[in-house]
């Protein structure tokens, strides 16, 4: 009975905490406000940048993932792991790295200037798209790579025995993988880019480069027009839910069937194709790892300039990440099924700023809402991380249910015994990975806290943004390096904890 009640309670709490704050904002505003002409421009810009970002990310990911699946070389596993780092990188840290490489005084413009070529500008639409591709290219590569690795070795051996040409291999093996995985990857990245805030705040922000999330921030922070902010949030929610439903639909598709899990090297990556593959791998590695290396190089000297405010902000970030991870994983374990995953879609589509504002309005009659900035930030980050955690956990949870469900029924196991003896031991690895991902994302989030925190309750991403705003760039680089270390440390510690427990 308790086992059946827990998912219902968790689902009701999730629905209340995502839709309730939006309703509270609407009631406080007295209804929906009218959209301004600038808001329509923001909506158009949001849609355009999300479409371009998703298209470029997926298009570039196809040759990179294909090259990684065709070639074997020393350090390949480490390179694949490092190329995934940008996805868990704090946004503000990644922006600093991109500015160091593509900014006015960056490495690329230094090279172009030496060659008397026109300089590039990292701000505006192309800067926002560049940052989104930097974040989401690794995600698209990993999704496509998983699709190719799921092709049974027996299919590759049969193709080799038939002497298929490279063109035939593309038609028979590669094209079906791309058609099955790429549409889902495109929609997932499109949804992520829809709610872009920190990237647009730092690299966009002008009237011609404002996202809906940034327009919500401006409506709340500067105009205090809650009705307009709620209307924008509902538009964003509708777009996100529509895209999410499309993602769930296009994610379905027939694979290549089961095999015997044998690794069979591909023969179509020889000759000139080997050179082309390594060119794609090197280009992707340089694009993703040079900004990361630049942040580490420039931040080392800045560590000596960090003051007590930065270290206090770091403590706040660690506390927020810990609370968000515990809350999110408790939620995820209770909702680890397809219905829970569908319900969690609303969490990623609703504006975090509107969620935070609604929660503050709900708390206002009882406590000073600004004293609750950190707990509210932790709660909103847990909600934002829930869809990612469920996407990692649900496939393995369904497999465990399919493999051991009948045994459970025949033995009459209680819910707690099933959880302790079967479910938890077999899900420690995905639980560890999901915990690390949620902790890293929460550690680097710059959303709700930017709207409500005072100097005494700032988190580390907000402190980095403030140092950048006051032109203390060297100290900002040091704080960014500290944030990078905390985020990666949390991810590695929790992910490795799950692997060790699984060993």
């Amino acid at each position: 009975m308790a086992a059946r009640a827990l998912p219902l309670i968790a689902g009701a709490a999730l629905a209340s905490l995502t839709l309730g704050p939006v309703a509270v904002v609407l009631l406080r505003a007295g209804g929906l406000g009218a959209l301004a002409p600038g808001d329509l421009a923001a909506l158009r810009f949001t849609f355009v940048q999300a479409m371009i970002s998703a298209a470029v990310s997926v298009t570039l990911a196809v040759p990179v993932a294909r090259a990684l699946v065709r070639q074997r070389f020393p350090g390949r596993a480490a390179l694949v792991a490092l190329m995934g780092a940008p996805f868990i990188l704090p946004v503000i840290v990644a922006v600093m790295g991109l500015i160091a490489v593509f900014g006015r005084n960056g490495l690329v413009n230094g090279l172009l200037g030496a060659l008397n070529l026109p300089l590039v500008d990292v701000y505006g639409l192309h800067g926002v798209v560049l940052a989104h591709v930097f974040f989401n290219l690794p995600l698209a590569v990993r999704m496509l790579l998983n699709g190719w690795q799921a092709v049974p070795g027996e299919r590759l051996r049969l193709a080799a025995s038939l002497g298929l040409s490279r063109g035939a291999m593309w038609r028979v093996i590669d094209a079906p993988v791309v058609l099955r995985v790429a549409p889902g990857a495109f929609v997932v990245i499109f949804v992520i880019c829809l709610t872009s805030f920190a990237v647009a705040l730092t690299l966009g922000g002008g009237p011609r480069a404002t996202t809906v999330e940034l327009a919500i921030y401006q409506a709340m922070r500067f105009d205090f027009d809650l009705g307009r902010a709620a209307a924008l949030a509902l538009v964003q929610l509708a777009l996100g839910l529509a895209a999410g439903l499309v993602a769930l639909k296009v994610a379905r598709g027939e694979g290549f069937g089961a095999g015997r899990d044998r690794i069979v090297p591909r023969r179509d990556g020889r000759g000139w194709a080997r050179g082309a593959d390594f060119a794609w791998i090197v280009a992707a590695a340089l694009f993703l790892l040079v900004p990361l290396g630049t942040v580490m190089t420039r931040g080392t000297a800045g560590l000596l300039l960090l003051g007590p405010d930065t270290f206090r902000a770091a403590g706040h970030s660690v506390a927020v990440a810990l609370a968000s991870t515990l809350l999110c994983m408790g939620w995820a374990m209770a909702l680890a099924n397809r219905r829970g995953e569908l319900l969690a879609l609303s969490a990623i589509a609703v504006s975090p700023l509107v969620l935070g504002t609604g929660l503050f309005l709900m708390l206002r009659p009882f406590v000073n809402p600004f004293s609750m900035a950190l707990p509210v930030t932790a709660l909103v980050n847990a909600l934002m991380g829930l869809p990612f955690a469920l996407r990692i956990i649900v496939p393995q949870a369904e497999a465990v249910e399919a493999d051991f469900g009948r045994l459970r029924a025949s033995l009459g196991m209680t819910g707690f015994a099933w959880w302790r003896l079967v479910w938890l031991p077999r899900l420690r690895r995905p639980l560890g990975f999901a915990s690390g991902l949620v902790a890293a994302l929460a550690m680097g989030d710059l959303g709700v806290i930017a709207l409500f925190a005072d100097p005494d309750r700032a988190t580390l991403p907000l402190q980095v943004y403030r140092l950048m705003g006051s032109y203390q760039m060297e100290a900002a680089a040091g704080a960014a390096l500290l944030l990078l270390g905390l985020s990666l440390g949390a991810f590695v510690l929790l992910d490795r904890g799950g692997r060790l427990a699984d060993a």
Side-chain angles (χ1 to χ4, degrees):
M1 185 67 179
R4 289 195 295 269
L6 190 58
L8 293 177
I9 295 172
L14 176 61
S16 302
L17 288 171
T18 50
L19 301 180
V22 179
V24 169
V25 171
L26 273 174
L27 290 174
R28 178 69 172 78
L32 293 175
L35 299 182
D39 296 333
L40 296 178
L43 180 60
R44 185 166 52 249
F45 177 82
T46 301
F47 186 80
V48 169
Q49 63 84 17
M51 289 289 288
I52 297 175
S53 299
V56 174
S57 298
V58 175
T59 302
L60 292 179
V62 171
V64 176
R66 190 185 186 211
L68 285 170
V69 83
R70 289 201 303 192
Q71 305 300 334
R72 293 288 185 274
F73 51 90
R76 176 183 173 277
L79 178 63
V80 171
L82 277 175
M83 287 175 66
F87 187 67
I88 61 170
L89 203 61
V91 175
I92 197 71
V93 175
V95 167
M96 290 193 67
L98 290 172
I99 291 175
V101 175
F102 298 99
R104 181 172 296 275
N105 299 316
L107 300 177
V108 172
N109 275 330
L111 181 61
L112 293 175
L115 298 174
N116 291 322
L117 295 173
L119 303 183
V120 297
D121 186 2
V122 78
Y123 297 97
L125 173 62
H126 42 284
V128 172
V129 171
L130 176 72
H132 284 160
V133 172
F134 176 78
F135 283 115
N136 296 306
L137 177 61
L139 176 64
V141 169
R142 291 298 289 268
M143 292 176 76
L144 286 162
L145 195 57
N146 289 340
W148 259 303
Q149 288 174 337
V151 177
E154 288 78 4
R155 295 289 187 105
L156 299 176
R157 184 170 294 173
L158 176 61
S161 65
L162 293 174
L164 295 184
S165 65
R166 291 191 181 93
M169 281 290 290
W170 171 259
R171 290 192 300 275
V172 174
I173 302 290
D174 297 335
V177 170
V178 173
L179 291 175
R180 185 165 58 89
V181 178
F186 176 89
V187 180
V188 168
I189 295 171
F190 176 80
V191 174
I192 292 173
C193 295
L194 269 184
T195 55
S196 176
F197 173 68
V199 168
L201 182 68
T202 49
L203 296 179
R208 298 173 60 186
T210 297
T211 61
V212 172
E213 191 70 13
L214 193 53
I216 293 172
Y217 172 76
Q218 291 165 347
M220 289 184 166
R221 178 90 181 186
F222 303 110
D223 305 332
F224 201 66
D225 189 345
L226 294 181
R228 196 174 116 230
L232 287 167
L234 289 179
V235 171
Q236 181 171 286
L237 175 62
L239 278 175
L241 285 178
L245 292 173
V246 172
L248 287 178
K249 187 174 180 61
V250 300
R252 298 172 183 172
E254 297 297 328
F256 285 85
R260 303 180 68 177
D261 297 333
R262 291 178 177 174
I263 298 176
V264 177
R266 293 181 54 150
R267 299 183 179 181
D268 58 330
R270 300 175 179 175
W272 63 267
R274 185 175 177 82
D277 284 348
F278 276 103
W280 278 109
I281 293 171
V282 170
L286 289 175
F287 174 64
L288 297 174
L289 300 182
V290 169
L292 194 62
T294 306
V295 170
M296 297 177 69
T297 303
R298 296 190 176 186
T300 303
L303 287 175
L304 300 175
L305 303 176
L306 300 183
D309 290 347
T310 302
F311 289 110
R312 185 166 57 244
H316 291 159
S317 288
V318 171
V320 166
L322 182 61
S324 297
T325 305
L326 289 173
L327 185 56
C328 180
M329 297 315 297
W331 240 325
M333 286 191 284
L335 295 173
N337 53 56
R338 291 279 178 180
R339 284 173 293 182
E341 200 173 4
L342 182 61
L343 185 61
L345 274 177
S346 59
I348 197 173
V350 173
S351 163
L353 298 178
V354 173
L355 278 181
T357 303
L359 290 171
F360 271 79
L361 291 173
M362 293 164 71
L363 292 171
R364 190 178 179 184
F366 309 103
V367 295
N368 177 10
F370 289 98
S371 68
M372 301 297 289
L374 295 176
V376 169
T377 300
L379 175 59
V380 173
N381 282 333
L383 288 169
M384 296 296 109
L386 185 57
F388 297 104
L390 284 174
R391 188 78 290 270
I392 295 167
I393 295 171
V394 167
Q396 185 66 22
E398 289 182 335
V400 169
E401 183 66 35
D403 293 341
F404 298 96
R406 291 184 179 178
L407 178 64
R408 172 192 186 181
S410 63
L411 295 177
M413 296 178 71
T414 63
F416 179 71
W418 164 261
W419 182 79
R420 185 174 63 86
L421 298 175
V422 180
W423 199 89
L424 188 60
R426 281 161 180 78
L427 269 84
R428 281 174 178 160
R429 184 185 289 265
L431 285 172
F433 177 59
S435 301
L437 182 64
V438 173
L441 294 176
M443 190 86 71
D445 178 68
L446 177 62
V448 178
I449 199 70
L451 196 59
F452 297 104
D454 56 34
D456 293 334
R457 296 180 179 84
T459 58
L460 195 49
L462 182 59
Q463 180 68 6
V464 174
Y465 181 68
R466 286 175 173 170
L467 289 172
M468 290 173 66
S470 58
Y471 299 101
Q472 301 179 60
M473 300 308 292
E474 199 167 354
L481 181 58
L482 177 61
L483 178 58
L484 175 64
L486 290 174
S487 297
L488 292 181
F491 175 77
V492 171
L493 183 66
L494 292 171
D495 182 38
R496 187 171 176 75
R499 292 172 186 270
L500 290 176
D502 198 38

